[in-house]
Amino acid sequence: MAHVTDPARGWQGELLDLDAYLERIRFDGDRSPTLRTLRALQRAHVTTIPFENLEIVLERPILLGVANIQDKLVRRRRGGYCFEHTELFAAALERLGFRLTALLGRVVMGTDKIRPATHALLLVQTVDTAQDGRIWLCDVGFGHGPLEPIEFVDGIEVTQDGWSYRLERLTAAAEGLPGVQEWALHQRGPEGWIRRHTFLVAPAHAIDYEVGNHYVSTSPRSPFTGRLYAQRFSPWLHHELDETRLKITPAEGPIETRLLDPDGVPKLLKELFEIELDADDAERLVTGLRRRRAAAEP
C-alpha cells in the first residue's frame, strides 16, 4: 500500500478537525501511527459513536465527505452507518500518518445470496509492523465490533473481551480475476459462527462509497429505508434497536428483548445511545414509528 498523493484517491484528512474528533471518541493517547495507537483508536471509535440511520427515517439525505460527516458525528454528536464511520476513521488515520486502503463488502449474515456491495471497511499498515508485511483489517462501521483491528491473516481467530471473530480467505482469485482475493469475516454469536460479510481485496475510493451510500439511503430494497435502526457496542454489551424492539446481547449470557412504546424511543435514544433529538425530530420520529406499527398490524 502506497502513500496517497492524488486528492481524488484520498480521504480528506486535511479537512478533519483532529482534536475535535479525538475528543469526541474520548481518546487522549499517543498519536504516532503504531499498532498500539490503531488498536486504541478503533476501540475508542466503536464504543463511543453509535450506529444509526435516523436521517433516512426523518427523510433527510445522508451526506458523505469529511466536512459533512464531522459536522454530524463530531460536532452534533450523532451517529451514522458504515460509510460515515469509515470515511471519518479513514480521514483520522490519514491525518495521523497511517497507510490505508479502503474496501467494499457484501453483508450476507449467513446466507449464500449475492448482496450489493454496501459495507465499508479498511486495510491499514502501521509503522512498526509494516516491515514484517503485516496488515490490519479495521471494521468500525458495522455496529457490532470488532473492538480492535484484526491481523489480515487467513484463518486467524480472535476473541476481544468475549466477542469472537474469524477471517477466512474464500478464493485465491474471485471470478477468474488474477490477484483479486475474496475474504469473509465471521462472527460468533449465541448460535455459533456466522459469516457476517464478504469482501474483495480491491481498492475502493470515495466515489465508490458515494454510489453505495446512494443505494443504501434511497433504495426500497435497502434495509435502512423502511425502519429505524440503531446499535451501541461496548466491551460487554451490544444494544440493537430495530423500530421499537430493543435487543440486548451480552458478550456472555442470555439475550434480552424488550418491546417499547413509540413515545419512549426518543428518551431511549438519548439515555442509551447518547443521541439527543430536538422536539421537532422527536415528534416526527414517533409519528413514523406509530404509522409503521399500525401498517404492520393485521
Side-chain angles (χ1 to χ4, degrees):
M1 288 184 284
H3 278 299
V4 173
T5 56
D6 182 352
R9 298 174 183 269
W11 297 99
Q12 300 181 322
E14 72 282 359
L15 301 181
L16 178 69
D17 184 339
L18 183 61
D19 290 338
Y21 167 72
L22 296 179
E23 185 277 331
R24 170 71 170 101
I25 65 171
R26 302 166 190 156
F27 175 90
D28 61 358
D30 180 62
R31 299 188 181 189
S32 58
T34 64
L35 176 57
R36 181 178 180 180
T37 300
L38 184 65
R39 283 174 169 158
L41 284 169
Q42 178 162 328
R43 179 175 285 261
H45 184 112
V46 300
T47 58
T48 304
I49 306 179
F51 182 107
E52 50 106 331
N53 71 330
L54 278 160
E55 293 300 282
I56 300 174
V57 296
L58 293 172
E59 300 180 341
R60 292 194 290 257
I62 300 293
L63 303 176
L64 299 186
V66 167
N68 294 313
I69 296 170
Q70 72 176 342
D71 176 67
K72 180 187 174 190
L73 275 65
V74 177
R75 186 182 68 81
R76 293 192 282 129
R77 309 185 79 82
R78 284 278 306 281
Y81 60 19
C82 68
F83 293 115
E84 298 167 283
H85 279 275
T86 303
E87 282 202 13
L88 181 62
F89 197 65
L93 296 186
E94 188 177 82
R95 180 74 172 272
L96 290 167
F98 291 90
R99 296 184 177 187
L100 61 104
T101 295
L103 306 174
L104 277 167
R106 304 177 189 274
V107 179
V108 294
M109 299 306 292
T111 74
D112 293 325
K113 295 180 179 179
I114 299 296
R115 298 278 176 80
T118 56
H119 184 56
L121 57 166
L122 303 171
L123 287 180
V124 182
Q125 284 184 346
T126 70
V127 294
D128 54 332
T129 62
Q131 65 270 24
D132 299 324
R134 300 170 75 189
I135 304 173
W136 305 89
L137 181 72
C138 292
D139 189 358
V140 299
F142 199 82
H144 199 164
L147 285 163
E148 296 181 359
I150 299 174
E151 187 168 4
F152 196 59
V153 174
D154 183 23
I156 192 169
E157 189 174 310
V158 299
T159 298
Q160 302 169 348
D161 293 9
W163 306 104
S164 297
Y165 308 90
R166 185 178 73 238
L167 271 173
E168 177 189 11
R169 186 171 63 192
L170 300 178
T171 59
E175 299 298 329
L177 298 177
V180 180
Q181 297 177 352
E182 185 177 16
W183 289 67
L185 179 65
H186 301 256
Q187 181 170 343
R188 189 169 63 196
E191 298 180 358
W193 287 100
I194 184 173
R195 182 182 292 179
R196 194 168 90 171
H197 51 68
T198 65
F199 56 93
L200 298 181
V201 183
H205 305 290
I207 188 62
D208 301 314
Y209 284 5
E210 290 280 356
V211 173
N213 176 61
H214 178 74
Y215 175 88
V216 172
S217 62
T218 65
S219 172
R221 298 182 64 185
S222 166
F224 298 131
T225 55
R227 75 188 205 272
L228 168 66
Y229 192 70
Q231 298 181 83
R232 188 72 187 270
F233 189 58
S234 77
W236 53 90
L237 282 177
H238 175 244
H239 290 92
E240 179 183 8
L241 178 64
D242 189 342
E243 286 283 271
T244 56
R245 185 178 67 93
L246 179 65
K247 181 180 178 183
I248 305 169
T249 304
E252 297 179 0
I255 296 173
E256 179 184 352
T257 302
R258 304 175 189 168
L259 187 61
L260 310 172
D261 185 273
D263 289 344
V265 170
K267 181 180 179 182
L268 178 83
L269 287 171
K270 179 180 178 180
E271 295 179 349
L272 183 58
F273 294 86
E274 298 184 357
I275 299 170
E276 186 169 3
L277 300 178
D278 63 31
D280 289 342
D281 280 352
E283 182 179 357
R284 292 177 64 194
L285 177 63
V286 170
T287 299
L289 289 169
R290 288 175 179 163
R291 182 181 66 249
R292 292 190 293 274
R293 177 181 281 190
E297 292 176 350

